[in-house]
Every structure is written in C-alpha cells, then in structure tokens.
Amino acid sequence: MDIDVAGRELLAVDELEARLAGAFALSHSAERVRSAVVAAHHRFDGRPIRDFVPIFVERIARADLRRSAS
C-alpha cells in the first residue's frame, strides 16, 4: 500500500505526538501535548514544501512544552 505525501506527513505528526506525550508525561497532559502539536502543525498550512514539516512541528511543539513547564 502506497501512502501519499499528505498521509506520510500526518503519520509522522501522529508519531511525534506520541513521542512528545511520553517525553512530557510528567509535566503535561496528553491533551496539552496534542494542542502544542496541532498549533505547530497549523503554522505550516498552505506552505508548498512539506518535506521537513514534521521535523519543524516537533521542534516548535517541544520548545512550547518546555517553556510552559518552567
């Protein structure tokens, strides 16, 4: 089964959300992590180049979660 580019991106974002939920389980709820990931992902809406979006989403969400844990 061949997953299209958008499908691969969504799968990668779902996987990074799970990683972040585990990494921040002691300081943030799964819903808070999801909110950070969704907000970061939406920053790239309408952008034509999608190759590195999951990497950027993870970096932005991780920074957001670290800031709010302090």
Side-chain angles (χ1 to χ4, degrees):
M1 182 170 131
D2 187 29
I3 301 175
D4 63 350
V5 174
R8 284 195 306 264
E9 179 179 318
L10 291 176
L11 181 61
V13 171
D14 286 346
E15 291 171 353
L16 77 86
E17 182 182 330
R19 276 196 310 277
L20 291 176
F24 289 93
L26 295 178
S27 59
H28 296 295
S29 68
E31 183 55 36
R32 171 64 180 98
V33 172
R34 178 161 182 67
S35 175
V37 169
V38 168
H41 196 206
H42 280 304
R43 290 177 63 172
F44 298 95
D45 287 352
R47 306 295 177 154
I49 309 239
R50 309 300 299 179
D51 295 341
F52 300 104
V53 167
I55 294 167
F56 297 143
V57 168
E58 183 166 8
R59 288 180 181 176
I60 293 166
R62 188 178 290 274
D64 176 29
L65 293 166
R66 283 184 181 144
R67 274 192 308 273
S68 65
S70 320

Coordinates of all heavy atoms in Angstrom, one line a residue:
M1 N 0.8 -1.2 0.0 CA 0.0 0.0 0.0 C 0.9 1.2 0.0 O 1.8 1.4 0.8 CB -0.9 0.0 1.2 CG -1.8 1.1 1.3 SD -3.0 0.8 2.7 CE -2.9 2.4 3.5
D2 N 0.6 2.1 -0.9 CA 1.4 3.4 -1.1 C 0.7 4.5 -0.4 O -0.4 4.8 -0.8 CB 1.7 3.7 -2.6 CG 2.6 4.8 -2.8 OD1 3.5 5.0 -1.9 OD2 2.5 5.5 -3.8
I3 N 1.3 5.1 0.6 CA 0.7 6.2 1.3 C 1.2 7.5 0.6 O 2.4 7.7 0.3 CB 1.2 6.3 2.8 CG1 0.7 5.0 3.5 CG2 0.6 7.5 3.5 CD1 1.2 4.9 4.9
D4 N 0.3 8.4 0.3 CA 0.6 9.6 -0.4 C 1.4 10.6 0.6 O 1.6 10.3 1.8 CB -0.6 10.3 -0.9 CG -1.6 10.8 0.2 OD1 -1.4 10.4 1.4 OD2 -2.5 11.5 -0.1
V5 N 1.9 11.6 0.0 CA 2.8 12.6 0.8 C 2.0 13.1 2.0 O 2.6 13.2 3.1 CB 3.3 13.7 -0.1 CG1 4.0 14.8 0.6 CG2 4.1 13.2 -1.2
A6 N 0.8 13.6 1.8 CA 0.0 14.1 2.9 C -0.2 13.0 4.0 O -0.1 13.3 5.2 CB -1.3 14.6 2.4
G7 N -0.5 11.8 3.6 CA -0.7 10.7 4.5 C 0.6 10.5 5.3 O 0.5 10.2 6.5
R8 N 1.7 10.5 4.6 CA 3.0 10.3 5.4 C 3.3 11.4 6.4 O 3.8 11.1 7.5 CB 4.2 10.2 4.4 CG 4.2 8.9 3.6 CD 5.6 8.7 2.9 NE 5.9 9.8 2.1 CZ 5.7 9.8 0.7 NH1 5.2 8.7 0.2 NH2 6.1 10.8 0.0
E9 N 2.9 12.6 6.0 CA 3.1 13.7 6.9 C 2.2 13.6 8.1 O 2.7 13.7 9.3 CB 2.8 15.1 6.2 CG 3.0 16.3 7.1 CD 2.6 17.6 6.4 OE1 3.0 17.7 5.2 OE2 2.0 18.4 7.0
L10 N 1.0 13.2 7.9 CA 0.1 13.1 9.1 C 0.5 11.9 10.0 O 0.4 12.0 11.2 CB -1.3 12.8 8.6 CG -2.0 14.1 7.9 CD1 -3.4 13.7 7.4 CD2 -2.1 15.2 8.9
L11 N 1.0 10.8 9.3 CA 1.5 9.7 10.1 C 2.7 10.1 10.9 O 2.8 9.8 12.1 CB 1.9 8.5 9.2 CG 2.4 7.3 9.8 CD1 1.4 6.7 10.8 CD2 2.8 6.3 8.8
A12 N 3.6 10.9 10.3 CA 4.8 11.4 11.1 C 4.4 12.3 12.2 O 5.0 12.2 13.3 CB 5.8 12.1 10.1
V13 N 3.5 13.2 12.0 CA 3.0 14.1 13.1 C 2.3 13.3 14.2 O 2.5 13.6 15.4 CB 2.1 15.2 12.5 CG1 1.4 16.0 13.6 CG2 2.9 16.1 11.6
D14 N 1.6 12.3 13.9 CA 0.9 11.4 14.9 C 2.0 10.7 15.7 O 1.9 10.6 16.9 CB 0.0 10.4 14.3 CG -1.3 10.9 13.8 OD1 -1.6 12.1 14.1 OD2 -2.0 10.2 13.0
E15 N 3.1 10.2 15.0 CA 4.2 9.5 15.7 C 4.9 10.5 16.6 O 5.3 10.1 17.8 CB 5.1 8.9 14.7 CG 4.4 7.7 14.0 CD 5.3 7.1 12.9 OE1 6.3 7.7 12.5 OE2 4.9 6.1 12.3
L16 N 5.2 11.7 16.2 CA 5.9 12.6 17.0 C 5.0 13.1 18.2 O 5.6 13.3 19.3 CB 6.4 13.8 16.2 CG 5.5 14.9 15.8 CD1 5.4 16.0 16.9 CD2 6.0 15.6 14.5
E17 N 3.7 13.2 18.0 CA 2.9 13.5 19.1 C 3.0 12.4 20.2 O 3.0 12.7 21.4 CB 1.4 13.6 18.6 CG 0.5 14.0 19.7 CD -1.0 14.1 19.2 OE1 -1.2 14.4 18.1 OE2 -1.9 13.8 20.1
A18 N 3.0 11.2 19.8 CA 3.1 10.1 20.8 C 4.5 10.2 21.5 O 4.5 10.0 22.7 CB 3.0 8.7 20.1
R19 N 5.5 10.5 20.8 CA 6.8 10.6 21.4 C 6.8 11.8 22.4 O 7.4 11.6 23.5 CB 7.9 10.9 20.4 CG 8.5 9.7 19.7 CD 9.8 10.0 19.0 NE 9.8 11.2 18.1 CZ 9.3 11.2 16.8 NH1 8.8 10.1 16.3 NH2 9.4 12.3 16.1
L20 N 6.3 12.9 22.0 CA 6.2 14.0 22.9 C 5.3 13.8 24.1 O 5.7 14.2 25.3 CB 5.8 15.3 22.2 CG 6.7 15.9 21.2 CD1 6.1 17.0 20.4 CD2 8.1 16.2 21.8
A21 N 4.3 13.1 23.9 CA 3.4 12.7 25.1 C 4.1 11.9 26.1 O 4.0 12.1 27.3 CB 2.1 12.0 24.6
G22 N 5.0 11.0 25.6 CA 5.8 10.2 26.5 C 6.9 11.0 27.2 O 7.1 10.9 28.4
A23 N 7.5 11.9 26.4 CA 8.6 12.7 27.0 C 8.1 13.7 28.0 O 8.9 14.0 28.9 CB 9.3 13.4 25.8
F24 N 6.9 14.2 27.8 CA 6.4 15.2 28.7 C 5.2 14.7 29.6 O 4.5 15.5 30.2 CB 5.9 16.4 27.9 CG 7.0 17.2 27.3 CD1 7.5 16.9 26.0 CD2 7.7 18.2 28.0 CE1 8.5 17.6 25.4 CE2 8.7 18.9 27.4 CZ 9.1 18.6 26.1
A25 N 5.2 13.4 29.8 CA 4.1 12.8 30.6 C 4.0 13.3 32.0 O 2.9 13.5 32.6 CB 4.2 11.3 30.5
L26 N 5.2 13.6 32.6 CA 5.2 14.1 34.0 C 4.8 15.6 34.1 O 4.4 16.0 35.2 CB 6.6 13.9 34.6 CG 7.0 12.4 34.7 CD1 8.4 12.3 35.2 CD2 6.0 11.6 35.5
S27 N 4.9 16.3 33.1 CA 4.6 17.8 33.2 C 3.4 18.3 32.4 O 2.9 19.3 32.7 CB 5.8 18.6 32.8 OG 6.2 18.3 31.4
H28 N 2.9 17.5 31.4 CA 1.8 17.9 30.6 C 0.9 16.8 30.3 O 1.3 15.6 30.1 CB 2.3 18.5 29.3 CG 3.1 19.7 29.4 ND1 2.6 20.9 29.9 CD2 4.4 20.0 29.2 CE1 3.6 21.8 29.9 NE2 4.7 21.3 29.5
S29 N -0.4 17.1 30.2 CA -1.4 16.1 29.8 C -1.2 15.8 28.3 O -0.7 16.6 27.6 CB -2.8 16.6 30.1 OG -3.1 17.7 29.2
A30 N -1.8 14.6 27.9 CA -1.7 14.3 26.5 C -2.5 15.3 25.7 O -2.1 15.6 24.5 CB -2.4 12.9 26.3
E31 N -3.5 15.9 26.2 CA -4.3 16.9 25.5 C -3.5 18.2 25.3 O -3.5 18.8 24.3 CB -5.6 17.2 26.3 CG -6.5 18.2 25.5 CD -6.8 17.9 24.1 OE1 -7.0 16.7 23.8 OE2 -6.9 18.8 23.2
R32 N -2.7 18.6 26.3 CA -1.8 19.7 26.2 C -0.7 19.5 25.1 O -0.4 20.4 24.3 CB -1.1 20.1 27.5 CG -0.1 21.1 27.5 CD -0.6 22.5 27.1 NE 0.4 23.5 27.0 CZ 1.0 23.9 25.9 NH1 0.7 23.4 24.7 NH2 2.0 24.8 26.0
V33 N -0.2 18.3 25.1 CA 0.8 17.9 24.1 C 0.1 18.0 22.7 O 0.7 18.6 21.7 CB 1.4 16.5 24.3 CG1 2.3 16.1 23.1 CG2 2.2 16.6 25.6
R34 N -1.0 17.4 22.6 CA -1.8 17.5 21.3 C -2.0 18.9 20.8 O -1.8 19.2 19.7 CB -3.1 16.7 21.4 CG -3.9 16.7 20.1 CD -4.9 15.6 20.1 NE -5.7 15.6 18.8 CZ -5.2 15.4 17.6 NH1 -4.0 15.1 17.5 NH2 -6.0 15.4 16.6
S35 N -2.4 19.7 21.8 CA -2.7 21.1 21.4 C -1.4 21.8 20.9 O -1.5 22.6 19.9 CB -3.2 21.8 22.7 OG -3.3 23.2 22.5
A36 N -0.3 21.5 21.5 CA 1.0 22.1 21.1 C 1.4 21.6 19.7 O 1.8 22.4 18.8 CB 2.1 21.8 22.0
V37 N 1.2 20.3 19.4 CA 1.5 19.8 18.1 C 0.5 20.3 17.0 O 1.0 20.7 16.0 CB 1.4 18.2 18.2 CG1 1.5 17.6 16.8 CG2 2.5 17.7 19.0
V38 N -0.7 20.4 17.3 CA -1.7 20.9 16.4 C -1.4 22.4 16.0 O -1.4 22.8 14.9 CB -3.2 20.7 16.9 CG1 -4.2 21.5 16.0 CG2 -3.5 19.2 16.9
A39 N -1.1 23.2 17.0 CA -0.8 24.6 16.8 C 0.4 24.7 16.0 O 0.5 25.5 15.0 CB -0.6 25.3 18.1
A40 N 1.5 23.9 16.3 CA 2.7 24.0 15.5 C 2.4 23.5 14.0 O 2.9 24.2 13.1 CB 3.8 23.1 16.1
H41 N 1.7 22.5 13.9 CA 1.4 22.0 12.5 C 0.6 23.0 11.7 O 0.9 23.2 10.5 CB 0.6 20.6 12.6 CG 0.6 19.9 11.4 ND1 -0.4 19.0 11.1 CD2 1.5 19.8 10.3 CE1 -0.1 18.4 9.9 NE2 1.0 18.9 9.4
H42 N -0.3 23.7 12.3 CA -1.1 24.7 11.6 C -0.3 25.9 11.1 O -0.7 26.6 10.2 CB -2.3 25.2 12.4 CG -3.5 24.2 12.4 ND1 -4.1 23.8 11.3 CD2 -4.1 23.6 13.4 CE1 -5.0 23.0 11.6 NE2 -5.1 22.8 12.9
R43 N 0.8 26.1 11.7 CA 1.7 27.2 11.3 C 2.2 26.9 9.8 O 2.6 27.9 9.2 CB 2.9 27.3 12.2 CG 2.6 27.8 13.6 CD 3.7 27.9 14.5 NE 4.8 28.8 14.0 CZ 5.8 29.2 14.7 NH1 6.0 28.7 15.9 NH2 6.7 30.0 14.2
F44 N 2.1 25.7 9.4 CA 2.6 25.4 8.0 C 1.5 25.2 7.0 O 1.7 24.8 5.9 CB 3.5 24.1 8.1 CG 4.7 24.4 8.9 CD1 4.7 24.0 10.3 CD2 5.8 25.0 8.4 CE1 5.8 24.3 11.1 CE2 6.9 25.3 9.2 CZ 6.9 24.9 10.5
D45 N 0.3 25.5 7.4 CA -0.9 25.4 6.5 C -0.6 26.3 5.3 O -0.2 27.4 5.4 CB -2.2 25.8 7.1 CG -2.7 24.9 8.2 OD1 -2.2 23.7 8.3 OD2 -3.7 25.2 8.9
G46 N -0.9 25.7 4.1 CA -0.7 26.5 2.9 C 0.7 26.6 2.3 O 0.9 27.2 1.3
R47 N 1.7 26.1 3.1 CA 3.0 26.1 2.6 C 3.3 25.0 1.6 O 2.9 23.9 1.8 CB 4.0 26.0 3.8 CG 3.8 27.0 4.9 CD 4.1 28.4 4.4 NE 3.8 29.3 5.5 CZ 4.3 30.4 5.7 NH1 5.2 30.9 4.8 NH2 4.0 31.2 6.7
P48 N 3.9 25.4 0.5 CA 4.1 24.4 -0.6 C 5.1 23.2 -0.3 O 4.8 22.1 -0.8 CB 4.5 25.2 -1.8 CG 5.2 26.4 -1.2 CD 4.5 26.6 0.1
I49 N 6.1 23.5 0.4 CA 7.1 22.5 0.6 C 6.9 21.8 1.9 O 6.8 22.4 2.9 CB 8.6 23.1 0.6 CG1 8.7 23.9 -0.7 CG2 9.6 22.0 0.8 CD1 9.7 23.7 -1.6
R50 N 6.6 20.5 1.9 CA 6.2 19.8 3.0 C 7.2 18.8 3.6 O 7.0 18.2 4.6 CB 4.9 19.0 2.7 CG 3.8 19.7 2.0 CD 3.3 20.9 2.8 NE 2.7 20.5 4.1 CZ 2.2 21.3 4.9 NH1 2.2 22.6 4.7 NH2 1.7 20.9 6.0
D51 N 8.3 18.6 3.0 CA 9.3 17.6 3.3 C 9.7 17.6 4.8 O 9.9 16.6 5.4 CB 10.5 17.7 2.4 CG 10.2 17.4 1.0 OD1 9.2 16.8 0.7 OD2 11.0 17.8 0.1
F52 N 10.0 18.8 5.3 CA 10.5 18.9 6.7 C 9.5 19.3 7.7 O 9.9 19.6 8.9 CB 11.7 19.8 6.7 CG 12.8 19.3 5.7 CD1 13.0 19.9 4.5 CD2 13.6 18.2 6.1 CE1 14.0 19.5 3.7 CE2 14.6 17.8 5.2 CZ 14.8 18.4 4.0
V53 N 8.3 19.4 7.3 CA 7.2 19.9 8.3 C 7.2 19.1 9.6 O 7.2 19.7 10.6 CB 5.8 20.0 7.6 CG1 4.7 20.2 8.6 CG2 5.8 21.1 6.5
P54 N 7.2 17.8 9.5 CA 7.2 17.1 10.8 C 8.3 17.4 11.7 O 8.2 17.5 13.0 CB 7.2 15.6 10.4 CG 6.5 15.6 9.1 CD 7.1 16.9 8.4
I55 N 9.5 17.6 11.2 CA 10.7 18.0 12.0 C 10.5 19.3 12.6 O 10.7 19.5 13.8 CB 11.9 18.0 11.1 CG1 12.3 16.6 10.6 CG2 13.1 18.5 11.9 CD1 13.3 16.5 9.5
F56 N 10.0 20.3 11.8 CA 9.8 21.6 12.4 C 8.6 21.6 13.4 O 8.7 22.3 14.4 CB 9.4 22.6 11.2 CG 10.5 22.8 10.2 CD1 10.2 23.0 8.9 CD2 11.9 22.8 10.6 CE1 11.2 23.2 8.0 CE2 12.9 23.0 9.7 CZ 12.6 23.2 8.4
V57 N 7.6 20.9 13.2 CA 6.5 20.8 14.1 C 7.0 20.2 15.4 O 6.7 20.8 16.5 CB 5.4 19.9 13.6 CG1 4.3 19.5 14.6 CG2 4.7 20.6 12.4
E58 N 7.8 19.2 15.4 CA 8.4 18.6 16.6 C 9.2 19.6 17.4 O 9.1 19.8 18.6 CB 9.2 17.4 16.4 CG 9.7 16.7 17.7 CD 10.2 15.3 17.5 OE1 10.3 14.8 16.4 OE2 10.4 14.7 18.5
R59 N 10.1 20.4 16.7 CA 10.9 21.3 17.4 C 10.1 22.5 18.0 O 10.4 22.9 19.1 CB 11.9 21.9 16.4 CG 13.0 21.0 16.0 CD 13.9 21.6 15.0 NE 15.0 20.6 14.6 CZ 15.9 20.8 13.7 NH1 15.9 21.9 13.1 NH2 16.8 19.8 13.4
I60 N 9.1 23.0 17.3 CA 8.3 24.1 17.8 C 7.4 23.6 19.0 O 7.4 24.3 20.0 CB 7.4 24.6 16.6 CG1 8.2 25.3 15.6 CG2 6.3 25.5 17.2 CD1 7.4 25.6 14.3
A61 N 6.8 22.4 18.8 CA 6.0 21.9 19.9 C 6.8 21.6 21.2 O 6.4 21.9 22.3 CB 5.2 20.7 19.5
R62 N 8.0 21.0 21.0 CA 8.9 20.7 22.1 C 9.3 22.0 22.8 O 9.3 22.0 24.1 CB 10.1 19.9 21.6 CG 11.0 19.4 22.7 CD 12.2 18.6 22.1 NE 11.7 17.3 21.5 CZ 11.6 16.2 22.1 NH1 11.8 16.2 23.4 NH2 11.2 15.1 21.5
A63 N 9.7 23.0 22.1 CA 10.0 24.3 22.7 C 8.9 24.9 23.4 O 9.1 25.4 24.6 CB 10.5 25.3 21.6
D64 N 7.7 24.8 22.9 CA 6.5 25.3 23.6 C 6.3 24.6 24.9 O 6.0 25.2 25.9 CB 5.3 25.2 22.6 CG 4.0 25.6 23.3 OD1 4.0 26.5 24.2 OD2 2.9 25.1 22.9
L65 N 6.4 23.3 24.8 CA 6.1 22.5 26.0 C 7.2 22.7 27.1 O 6.9 22.8 28.3 CB 6.0 21.0 25.7 CG 4.8 20.6 24.8 CD1 5.0 19.2 24.2 CD2 3.5 20.7 25.6
R66 N 8.4 22.9 26.7 CA 9.5 23.2 27.6 C 9.3 24.5 28.3 O 9.5 24.7 29.5 CB 10.9 23.2 26.9 CG 11.4 21.8 26.6 CD 12.8 21.9 26.1 NE 13.3 20.6 25.8 CZ 14.0 20.3 24.7 NH1 14.3 21.2 23.9 NH2 14.4 19.0 24.5
R67 N 8.9 25.5 27.5 CA 8.6 26.9 28.1 C 7.5 26.8 29.1 O 7.6 27.5 30.1 CB 8.2 27.9 27.0 CG 9.4 28.5 26.3 CD 8.9 29.7 25.4 NE 7.9 29.3 24.5 CZ 8.0 28.8 23.3 NH1 9.2 28.6 22.9 NH2 7.0 28.6 22.5
S68 N 6.4 26.1 28.8 CA 5.3 26.1 29.7 C 5.5 25.2 30.9 O 4.7 25.2 31.8 CB 4.0 25.7 28.9 OG 4.1 24.4 28.4
A69 N 6.5 24.4 30.9 CA 6.8 23.5 32.1 C 7.6 24.3 33.1 O 7.6 23.9 34.3 CB 7.6 22.3 31.6
S70 N 8.2 25.4 32.7 CA 9.0 26.1 33.7 C 8.2 26.9 34.7 O 7.1 27.3 34.5 CB 9.9 27.1 33.0 OG 10.4 26.7 31.8

